[in-house]
Amino acid sequence: MSTQQSLFQGVWVPLVTPFSGGAVDGGALRRLVRHYAAAGVDGLVVCGSTGEAASLDDAEQLAVLDAVLTEAGRLPVIMGLAGNHQGHVLQRLSAFATRPLAGILAPAPYYVRAGQEGAAAYFRCLADASRFPLVLYDIPYRTGTTLETSTLLSLAAHPNIAAIKDCGGSLEKTLALIADGQMNVLAGEDLQSLSVLCLGGTGMIAAAAHIRPDLFVAMHQAVRAQQLDLARRLFQALVPVIRLAFEEPNPGPLKAQLGRQGLLSEELRMPMPVASAALAARLDAAVAGLNRQFPCQ
């Protein structure tokens, strides 16, 4: 494993972006960073889909990033970078260059459906231009582009592409990328986190880890220690919470639960809806059950 790859392991939380009165809530954002650092997570992702990045303008994205970096200290931070105007994306990448980032998380250009050749050229362009390692984000249901195994294996040979957030929905592709070993495989679908770890993936970028990050960390550590009975017990306890966290559009359910924990307001930006009262109540009950089984320390 290369030095670049060695960083992309363990439990990474793709941070929600707190809002208050329509503006980014910097105080709540810094509170979240302290909370997840104390829980022992391995890193944070800023301005991903869970962070409602599509509703933030460029200045807001930089402000969110800077607030997180100010609070994160030594905790590594990955910045999300999505778009379909390559020139604009490169401008934004240049603006990130002065920040102490661990990496850049980049999906295929969405909506335009550039195909395998176009998507591969786009990723290589970003990797060539970036002073930080690239983490590919394979998420066909958001981008409209299914990255084929051969495309990803070819990209893995690039010296500045270090990892992939795997939401591709293909076990065969996941297995091929793990076996190839040229880039780290991070589970991007929370319900697949344990299976990806057990198959040889190095970690996860898990939105549901917002709720009990300590248990996700414990699950990862249990797998690393070959304590698979404990890892399975933790994962099975987390499953009801994971399912409910994604039953309505993400991050509405997460923000509802974090609001109940006093970490932020559950405000979202349109067109993203807040979680329904019924789902929020079911999630409350599931979290309460989880807390009874594994009390908070």
Side-chain angles (χ1 to χ4, degrees):
M1 186 183 298
S2 71
T3 303
Q4 273 191 344
Q5 284 177 269
S6 65
L7 182 62
F8 301 109
Q9 301 188 55
V11 178
W12 292 67
V13 176
L15 280 175
V16 297
T17 301
F19 298 112
S20 178
V24 173
D25 185 343
L29 186 58
R30 290 187 289 273
R31 187 160 55 245
L32 287 175
V33 174
R34 292 193 296 271
H35 176 68
Y36 295 118
V41 305
D42 296 275
L44 301 171
V45 180
V46 178
C47 292
S49 48
T50 301
E52 298 176 75
S55 72
L56 300 170
D57 64 30
D58 291 357
E60 287 177 316
Q61 290 199 18
L62 279 176
V64 168
L65 174 59
D66 288 341
V68 171
L69 288 171
T70 297
E71 201 66 49
R74 295 184 178 181
L75 193 65
V77 175
I78 293 172
M79 181 63 176
L81 179 61
N84 52 19
H85 183 301
Q86 187 161 302
H88 182 216
V89 169
L90 288 171
Q91 286 176 4
R92 291 168 60 212
L93 181 62
S94 178
F96 302 153
T98 57
R99 274 76 175 175
L101 296 177
I104 297 290
L105 178 67
Y110 54 83
Y111 183 76
V112 295
R113 302 186 70 178
Q116 300 304 298
E117 191 174 319
Y122 173 81
F123 285 126
R124 289 192 181 98
C125 177
L126 294 190
D128 288 343
S130 177
R131 61 173 292 230
F132 311 110
L134 210 65
V135 179
L136 305 181
Y137 188 4
D138 184 18
I139 185 158
Y141 57 82
R142 285 192 183 272
T143 64
T145 296
T146 298
L147 297 169
E148 295 174 0
T149 302
S150 58
T151 301
L152 291 170
L153 292 175
S154 172
L155 288 168
H158 193 290
N160 203 31
I161 295 177
I164 183 168
K165 180 181 179 183
D166 179 18
C167 300
S170 165
L171 178 58
E172 288 189 8
K173 187 159 57 175
T174 302
L175 289 169
L177 294 171
I178 290 171
D180 178 65
Q182 291 188 92
M183 60 182 173
N184 285 8
V185 177
L186 300 166
E189 299 291 343
D190 294 11
L191 283 174
Q192 295 169 11
S193 56
L194 179 59
S195 57
V196 169
L197 288 175
C198 290
L199 289 168
T202 59
M204 67 195 79
I205 299 176
H210 277 89
I211 295 175
R212 281 295 304 271
D214 57 320
L215 297 186
F216 282 85
V217 170
M219 178 178 68
H220 174 254
Q221 291 174 343
V223 173
R224 290 285 299 271
Q226 295 295 303
Q227 297 174 332
L228 297 184
D229 285 345
L230 173 59
R232 281 191 290 265
R233 192 158 64 88
L234 287 162
F235 178 70
Q236 291 296 345
L238 287 164
V239 164
V241 171
I242 293 172
R243 290 190 186 280
L244 289 168
F246 295 100
E247 191 167 300
E248 292 180 5
N250 178 45
L254 293 178
K255 283 191 167 182
Q257 182 56 214
L258 293 173
R260 282 156 174 74
Q261 294 180 21
L263 289 166
L264 47 68
S265 159
E266 63 179 278
E267 182 179 331
L268 290 92
R269 276 192 175 166
M270 293 297 290
M272 294 302 295
V274 298
S276 67
L279 178 63
R282 290 167 61 206
L283 187 52
D284 279 350
V287 172
L290 179 63
N291 292 343
R292 285 193 295 272
Q293 191 172 352
F294 293 97
C296 298
Q297 299 300 312

